[in-house]
């Protein structure tokens, strides 16, 4: 959300300049508290009241206090505007890097760190199209289905986090990614038919990448090794690996060789039972034509 040209215009609560702080994320809480203090000290050093500063950056006084009190995570544009208004010479803008590291929920950051180190990823989600393959529009439709409902702030934060994780596709050298998708997740029109069409088109684009293998598990299969739940196996260059599945250790990351063998065995059988990558591409093209 840009704040350029917003001088003198106050925003609504639905148009806030930041995300809520996760109280269970101790490191994130400490970072955002420090950023808030620096913003307050700089504002007070130039003799500007919170209400006056809020008008200058285009937000209400209450929101200024929330950010300065470490209750909200400021967006990058807010820090840039504050730097300009307060004449900080780039010092406030420089904090964007600190904020970037904690702007997403801790569990998402932890997962992204594992993905960033992996040279091979084996991924199966029986309930939804995998997060790394979701378009922002599909992700929004999915997140809006959650009960109890996420707040609008939480929805946008999770969407931003999923988009940020997609940097795994841009790494050089690129990791090897293997996905198995359930047919029924490709037919469910979350967010509407137009959103589903866009999602299917995105899957076809991803399937063309040389480092991506995408397979579909048809609904008519009489045998299915994935009924125990989703599977993630991430292998690093040094030969170590981390796996996760609701069927093993209650979904907590595991690195024990015995547990990893179980996950890889299940994933290998699932892949063998699914359509081949070429058959899967043709199947998605057929679904796209029917949507």
């Amino acid at each position: 959300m840009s704040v350029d040209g917003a001088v003198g215009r106050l925003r609504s609560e639905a148009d806030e300049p930041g995300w809520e702080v996760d109280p269970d994320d101790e490191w994130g809480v400490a970072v955002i508290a420090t950023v808030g203090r620096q913003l307050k000290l700089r504002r007070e050093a130039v003799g500007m009241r919170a209400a006056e500063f809020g008008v200058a950056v285009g937000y209400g006084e209450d929101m200024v206090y929330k950010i300065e009190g470490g209750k909200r995570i400021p967006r990058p544009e807010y820090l840039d505007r504050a730097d300009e208004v307060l004449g900080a010479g780039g010092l406030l803008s420089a904090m964007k890097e600190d904020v970037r590291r904690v702007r997403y929920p801790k569990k998402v950051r932890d997962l992204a760190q594992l993905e960033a180190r992996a040279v091979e990823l084996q991924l199966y989600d029986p309930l939804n199209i995998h997060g790394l393959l979701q378009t922002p529009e599909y992700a929004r439709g999915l997140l809006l289905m959650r009960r109890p409902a996420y707040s609008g702030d939480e929805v946008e934060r999770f969407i931003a986090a999923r988009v940020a994780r997609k940097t795994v596709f841009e790494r050089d050298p690129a990791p090897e990614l293997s996905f198995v998708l359930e047919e029924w997740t490709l037919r469910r029109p979350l967010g509407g038919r137009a959103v589903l069409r866009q999602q299917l088109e995105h899957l076809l684009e991803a399937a063309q990448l040389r480092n991506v293998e995408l397979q579909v598990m048809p609904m008519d299969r009489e045998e299915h090794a994935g009924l125990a739940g989703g599977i993630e196996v991430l292998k690093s260059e040094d030969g170590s690996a981390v796996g996760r599945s609701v069927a093993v250790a209650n979904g907590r990351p595991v690195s024990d060789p015995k547990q990893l063998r179980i996950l890889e065995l299940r994933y290998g059988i699932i892949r063998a039972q699914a359509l081949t990558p070429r058959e899967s591409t043709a199947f998605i093209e057929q679904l796209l034509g029917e949507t």
Side-chain angles (χ1 to χ4, degrees):
M1 177 182 60
S2 174
V3 296
D4 292 341
V7 176
R9 185 172 64 87
L10 302 184
R11 312 278 179 111
S12 68
E13 286 293 307
D15 203 20
E16 293 175 348
W19 296 275
E20 295 178 359
V21 178
D22 182 355
D24 297 324
D25 182 3
E26 294 183 4
W27 181 50
V29 168
V31 169
I32 298 307
T34 299
V35 170
R37 282 196 298 271
Q38 292 300 316
L39 285 164
K40 182 179 180 180
L41 288 172
R42 176 63 61 169
R43 175 178 61 77
E44 291 178 340
V46 300
M48 184 175 286
R49 293 180 295 106
E52 181 185 1
F53 174 72
V55 171
V57 297
Y59 289 95
E61 180 181 5
D62 182 61
M63 188 52 55
V64 172
Y65 281 129
K66 284 182 179 179
I67 290 177
E68 291 183 350
K71 303 301 183 183
R72 301 286 295 187
I73 302 174
R75 299 177 190 263
E77 307 88 74
Y78 183 92
L79 292 173
D80 284 337
R81 183 62 179 159
D83 193 280
E84 178 185 346
V85 170
L86 300 176
L91 294 178
L92 296 180
S93 291
M95 293 192 297
K96 288 188 294 186
E97 180 61 23
D98 297 316
V99 172
R100 183 189 65 80
R101 295 176 180 150
V102 299
R103 64 184 291 191
Y104 305 124
K106 184 178 184 300
K107 63 181 180 180
V108 177
R109 295 203 311 269
D110 292 343
L111 178 57
Q113 289 176 359
L114 292 174
E115 292 170 345
R117 294 194 297 267
V119 296
E120 181 181 348
L121 296 88
Q122 301 174 342
L123 307 165
Y124 166 64
D125 187 340
L127 300 177
N128 305 290
I129 294 172
H130 194 277
L132 287 176
L133 293 172
Q134 293 174 12
T135 65
E137 294 77 15
Y138 179 91
R140 177 174 286 103
L142 177 61
L143 291 166
L144 290 175
M145 295 299 103
R146 198 254 198 184
R147 295 295 182 273
Y150 285 128
S151 67
D153 179 274
E154 289 174 313
V155 169
E156 295 308 316
R157 193 179 182 198
F158 276 115
I159 291 173
R162 293 188 184 185
V163 171
R165 286 172 57 203
K166 290 178 179 290
T167 55
V168 70
F169 290 99
E170 303 168 2
R171 283 169 42 196
D172 186 16
E176 296 296 322
L177 294 109
S178 169
F179 298 91
V180 178
L181 307 173
E182 289 288 345
E183 175 188 344
W184 74 278
T185 68
L186 305 180
R187 292 183 178 276
R188 185 175 56 192
L190 288 178
R193 292 287 175 184
V195 170
L196 178 59
R197 283 190 57 85
Q198 184 183 45
Q199 177 63 68
L200 294 176
E201 291 170 350
H202 179 67
L203 292 178
L204 291 174
E205 292 174 1
Q208 298 304 311
L209 298 175
R210 294 179 60 187
N211 62 313
V212 174
E213 286 198 342
L214 193 155
Q215 294 178 251
V216 174
M217 176 69 79
M219 291 189 296
D220 63 2
R221 288 294 192 257
E222 296 182 0
E223 296 181 339
H224 193 330
L227 299 182
I231 295 174
E232 293 182 356
V233 178
L234 288 70
K235 300 181 179 180
S236 300
E237 190 172 10
D238 61 5
S240 63
V242 176
R244 191 172 65 167
S245 173
V246 294
V248 176
N250 293 320
R252 296 189 301 273
V254 298
S255 56
D256 176 70
K258 180 179 180 180
Q259 293 174 317
L260 287 172
R261 281 197 299 272
I262 293 173
L263 294 181
E264 290 202 76
L265 172 64
R266 290 177 180 170
Y267 189 76
I269 296 175
I270 292 170
R271 290 194 66 185
Q273 293 170 335
L275 299 175
T276 67
R278 179 171 294 183
E279 292 170 339
S280 298
T281 298
F283 186 81
I284 295 173
E285 289 175 341
Q286 178 183 336
L287 288 179
L288 181 60
E290 297 173 357
T291 304

